[in-house]
Amino acid sequence: MQAITCSAPGKIYLFGEHAVVYGESAICCAVDLRTRVQASSNDTILISSDQGDTGLDHDRYPYISSVIEEMSKMTDIKGVKLRIDSDIPVGSGLGSSAAVTIATIQALNLLFGCNLGPEDIATLGHSIERKIQGAASPTDTYVSTMGGVVIVPVKKKLNIIDCGIVIGNTGKFSSTRQMVSDVALLKKRYPEMIDPILSTIGRISMTGEELVIKQEYRPIGELMNINQGLLDAISVSGPELADLIYAARSAGAYGAKITGAGGGGCMIALSQLPDMEKVASAITRAGGEAIVTRITEHGVRVEH
Ligand code: PMV
């Protein structure tokens, strides 16, 4: 029996969420939390994970089922067995849907010899996310495919940030679509105030790019804190996120801010490697689920 395991990473926003919706720059980083998909030849379609076993099932496994359907247009997939394992909490802004989509595309690509290259994989992944979510930015699927630190919309890869990333999950549900539409409403009501905030966030990403290249982590942390202040100004923070952010800063993080849509979901703290556990404990004491990780250059890959 032929079998292959592929994995793809989740992501965080170092700078620029929300402003990126209006064409401003953002810096997004793949993190070392991965979703693994083992694909093996089988007579029928079988998808299995901790959520149970099923055939093609758009309710339980919308992304995987859509990948199988889309790739059946390129090659004859009579059957396949897929086993999914993931480190990425679902629906918390860390790119879990992009990671499972990209890892599944690559596993089927290699098992069935479809000859898709990285750009094809990212494009197909984005079209599947868009179909399922209604609207989706190409960032998550691009970063999950390519890995590393990427400035968007230009999609230029920067060097790796060799620091600790401590994620704090509030566990509070938040809808990206709702948060994006709330910001749009605020922008419509107060354009003369909100537009400069969004362009300042874009400028933070541009300045941040230089600092990432020079590996100047303390000022990167300062810019994260300024970015957080501006995200608060456009009403996408909240008490749960703020508690975790201030706890992480007090524990010695270089900087801390929301990652992704806000309103709930996750925050991130950039920290010196020896301080990671201290920052994680502070986040836990403040009521969050702390996840200690690193930025990774590895996008989608085969696992041996
Ligand atoms: O929370 P996430 O990971 O879906 O990120 C949303 C990022 C936004 O900039 C708020 C929206 C977008 O599509 O870029």
Side-chain angles (χ1 to χ4, degrees):
M1 185 185 66
Q2 240 193 322
I4 188 148
T5 303
C6 290
S7 75
K11 65 98 201 16
I12 53 141
Y13 275 95
L14 193 62
F15 308 113
E17 52 274 89
H18 286 289
V20 73
V21 173
Y22 300 96
E24 298 290 348
S25 295
I27 298 183
C28 208
C29 314
V31 286
D32 206 14
L33 300 171
R34 306 186 72 86
T35 297
R36 286 163 291 278
V37 176
Q38 186 191 57
S40 48
S41 28
N42 203 47
D43 293 339
T44 57
I45 290 170
L46 185 66
I47 309 170
S48 80
S49 79
D50 292 348
Q51 296 172 50
D53 297 357
T54 172
L56 215 58
D57 183 338
H58 285 276
D59 292 326
R60 209 177 329 170
Y61 296 108
Y63 297 95
I64 300 163
S65 300
S66 290
V67 171
I68 296 171
E69 271 183 5
E70 286 302 316
M71 292 192 68
S72 297
K73 294 174 190 166
M74 300 171 204
T75 182
D76 188 16
I77 304 180
K78 288 198 179 63
V80 65
K81 186 169 162 188
L82 295 172
R83 167 79 209 172
I84 322 298
D85 289 293
S86 185
D87 310 326
I88 312 172
V90 173
S92 55
L94 298 176
S96 63
S97 59
V100 75
T101 304
I102 297 301
T104 307
I105 294 173
Q106 179 65 314
L108 296 182
N109 180 36
L110 297 177
L111 191 68
F112 291 95
C114 300
N115 283 320
L116 298 179
E119 291 286 344
D120 306 317
I121 292 172
T123 306
L124 177 60
H126 178 224
S127 77
I128 288 170
E129 275 216 319
R130 206 175 40 209
K131 195 179 87 184
I132 295 169
Q133 297 172 7
S137 104
T139 309
D140 286 24
T141 37
Y142 188 84
V143 171
S144 188
T145 306
M146 307 297 177
V149 178
V150 181
I151 183 155
V152 289
V154 289
K155 293 184 177 167
K156 182 175 137 200
K157 254 192 152 181
L158 308 177
N159 48 292
I160 287 295
I161 297 168
D162 194 18
C163 274
I165 298 287
V166 187
I167 296 170
N169 190 352
T170 61
K172 184 181 171 193
F173 173 79
S174 146
S175 149
T176 298
R177 199 185 288 210
Q178 185 63 49
M179 298 309 292
V180 168
S181 96
D182 288 353
V183 172
L185 209 63
L186 207 61
K187 179 172 154 48
K188 206 167 151 210
R189 285 171 63 201
Y190 305 106
E192 65 288 355
M193 286 166 239
I194 303 300
D195 290 352
I197 291 176
L198 295 171
S199 65
T200 303
I201 293 177
R203 221 165 306 144
I204 288 174
S205 302
M206 309 289 272
T207 308
E209 178 185 359
E210 293 303 314
L211 296 173
V212 168
I213 292 167
K214 292 192 208 142
Q215 311 196 0
E216 293 189 6
Y217 300 129
R218 201 164 290 282
I220 290 175
E222 278 169 0
L223 288 191
M224 289 171 72
N225 294 344
I226 297 171
N227 193 160
Q228 173 60 23
L230 298 173
L231 288 166
D232 204 352
I234 59 170
S235 289
V236 299
S237 193
E240 299 86 355
L241 284 161
D243 284 350
L244 307 189
I245 287 166
Y246 281 107
R249 287 181 193 166
S250 302
Y254 287 130
K257 62 180 272 295
I258 289 164
T259 180
C266 293
M267 51 71 68
I268 50 160
L270 187 74
S271 141
Q272 281 180 307
L273 296 175
D275 290 342
M276 284 169 87
E277 289 305 331
K278 211 167 73 183
V279 172
S281 305
I283 288 173
T284 309
R285 278 197 305 275
E289 183 209 350
I291 306 170
V292 171
T293 187
R294 301 280 291 270
I295 291 172
T296 177
E297 62 183 313
H298 300 291
V300 66
R301 69 176 181 203
V302 176
E303 296 282 325
H304 294 289

